[in-house]
Amino acid sequence: MKYFPHRVRALEQLLKDYRPPQPFNVHLKSFFKLNRQYGSRDRRELKQLAFTYWRMGSLIKLNDLAEKMAVSIFLLEPIGDWALEYISDSIQKELTPLKKSSNELDLEKLIEMKWFDKNQFSKFESILSSEIDSLEYRKSMFLASNLWIRILNNEKQIQDTVENHESYKRKLGKSLEFTNGSDLEGLLKRYRRDYTVQDISSQKVVERIATAPDMSIFDCCAGSGGKTLSIWNLEPRVKLFVSDVREAIIRNLNQRFQKHRLRDFNWSVQNIVKGQALGKFKNSLTKSEISESEFDLVLCDMPCSGSGTWSRNPEALSKFKIKDLEKYQDRQRKILQSASSYMKNSGAIWYLTCSVFEKENEDVVESFLSKNQEFSLVQSGYENWLNNGGDCIYFAEIRKEK
């Protein structure tokens, strides 16, 4: 990096101005808006350096930020030898044995280095689900997840457009993978309504959900509506109901659905954590109010720690506190219990989190089943794309007996 010292000074200011729990990506946009002297290359390189800090630099206990970042770059980048210029001789001697190859670290040796924060890096190990390999999960923390889209329309035209582009990596069904940070708005400007950005783990979970024409589906924690949009793409004749406790989120969801030509759905703003009867929904086409209290399928995409997405959002690790899991679990239990009252006989709940922690996943589902004998577990597991370009999602299909 030609302007490394300059970039480090900018990074120091960027980190100084950051105020959690604001998402770091949001902070980056604000920082660049206030500092217009940075050109496109400056912004790209500073963003890359910042996320290298969160992936590795924040775990290195050296006082000098430049040396801390140089160590991080040497360890994480395939061609990072140039960074040795900024590393002391004593640290340099310890670094070479830590790289098994240009793309693989010896984690066991790394965590024993006196300048590496072993406690911070390993604080989650005891709470991982038994289905998640600890070593593989730790490796994923040093890898940036890639950018995935789902094709909604014009599949051939989109495929032809991206086929030879340098950022394009592979196609899996209707899912396309690109390198992180790719400018898809420019590349696919003509087809902006024909695809949606969605991680591969979310797409694959949705493909597991069995739907049929005229099935009523209620997404009770809809957020931006990505999974509902994918369900509709797979079966456009379903009857869709969405809600979220945040009014602004529902407004954004409405705009997103309209952009992608999903025009007939029913929405509401309500807090199902309280376990109250559902309020009325408003139909997006007729604007009329609809009362609906029972559904064939309830989708519970839970608020959670997000630990299955930390390779995408590495700053979250430094903010994570194990005690916060109690808060998440309490909310998840309440939402799942409320959702169960909105199901028809023989209906199904799909319980989802983007977490790899047992307390938010298996423990919540097992607790619910033990208290609600009329429900049974059909299937559960992890759609795990960590170390394969994506995130990790836990899923459990719970069905109500007739």
Side-chain angles (χ1 to χ4, degrees), residues 52 55-56 71-78 99 102 105 142:
T52 298
R55 290 186 203 290
M56 176 69 82
V71 170
S72 303
I73 290 166
F74 176 80
L75 291 174
L76 294 184
E77 294 188 7
K99 297 189 77 168
S102 62
L105 290 175
F142 297 132

Side-chain angles (χ1 to χ4, degrees), residues 32 91 98 115 127 174 189 197 240 250 385:
F32 290 138
I91 299 295
L98 300 181
W115 41 262
I127 55 176
K174 290 189 174 184
K189 184 177 181 179
V197 175
L240 296 175
I250 289 295
W385 288 76

Side-chain angles (χ1 to χ4, degrees), residues 10 14 17 27-35 38 46:
L14 178 66
D17 295 343
H27 172 60
L28 265 176
K29 291 179 182 178
S30 299
F31 181 83
F32 290 138
K33 190 174 182 179
L34 291 172
N35 296 272
Y38 294 113
L46 183 53

Side-chain angles (χ1 to χ4, degrees), residues 124-133 137-138 140-141 304-310 320 325 353-362 382-386 391-394:
F124 50 76
E125 280 196 54
S126 63
I127 55 176
L128 280 176
S129 166
S130 59
E131 297 297 313
I132 301 297
D133 182 274
Y137 182 63
R138 287 191 292 176
S140 75
M141 305 299 287
C304 67
S305 64
S307 50
T309 68
W310 284 354
F320 172 67
L325 288 181
T353 77
C354 52
S355 171
V356 293
F357 297 145
E358 190 170 293
K359 201 175 189 71
E360 298 184 275
N361 299 333
E362 293 92 342
Y382 287 85
E383 195 62 62
N384 188 353
W385 288 76
L386 299 174
D391 299 332
C392 182
I393 287 184
Y394 172 78

Side-chain angles (χ1 to χ4, degrees), residues 305-349:
S305 64
S307 50
T309 68
W310 284 354
S311 60
R312 188 178 305 281
N313 306 294
E315 76 276 13
L317 174 61
S318 63
K319 296 183 289 184
F320 172 67
K321 296 179 177 61
I322 292 179
K323 66 179 182 180
D324 290 343
L325 288 181
E326 297 292 340
K327 175 185 67 177
Y328 285 122
Q329 188 188 63
D330 180 63
R331 185 180 302 174
Q332 290 154 355
R333 284 177 171 174
K334 289 177 179 177
I335 291 175
L336 182 54
Q337 191 62 52
S338 295
S340 69
S341 66
Y342 307 141
M343 291 171 57
K344 295 179 180 178
N345 288 334
S346 73
I349 294 176

Side-chain angles (χ1 to χ4, degrees), residues 216-266:
S216 59
I217 298 176
F218 176 33
D219 187 349
C220 64
C221 305
S224 62
K227 294 182 180 65
T228 299
L229 189 60
S230 291
I231 288 174
W232 168 77
N233 179 242
L234 290 169
E235 177 46 81
R237 293 167 293 180
V238 293
K239 298 175 181 177
L240 296 175
F241 297 79
V242 295
S243 77
D244 199 280
V245 68
R246 300 158 294 181
E247 187 172 352
I249 291 293
I250 289 295
R251 283 200 302 269
N252 292 338
L253 176 148
N254 268 274
Q255 293 172 3
R256 186 183 190 187
F257 283 6
Q258 296 295 339
K259 171 186 173 182
H260 295 299
R261 305 181 182 89
L262 200 179
R263 299 188 176 94
D264 188 5
F265 58 95
N266 307 283

Side-chain angles (χ1 to χ4, degrees), residues 12-50:
E12 189 170 19
Q13 187 62 50
L14 178 66
L15 295 174
K16 182 180 178 181
D17 295 343
Y18 178 49
R19 297 290 181 271
Q22 182 187 46
F24 191 71
N25 260 324
V26 175
H27 172 60
L28 265 176
K29 291 179 182 178
S30 299
F31 181 83
F32 290 138
K33 190 174 182 179
L34 291 172
N35 296 272
R36 296 187 178 275
Q37 70 271 25
Y38 294 113
S40 59
R41 179 181 175 182
D42 296 323
R43 293 194 297 271
R44 183 176 66 253
E45 291 187 357
L46 183 53
K47 180 179 179 180
Q48 181 181 354
L49 192 65

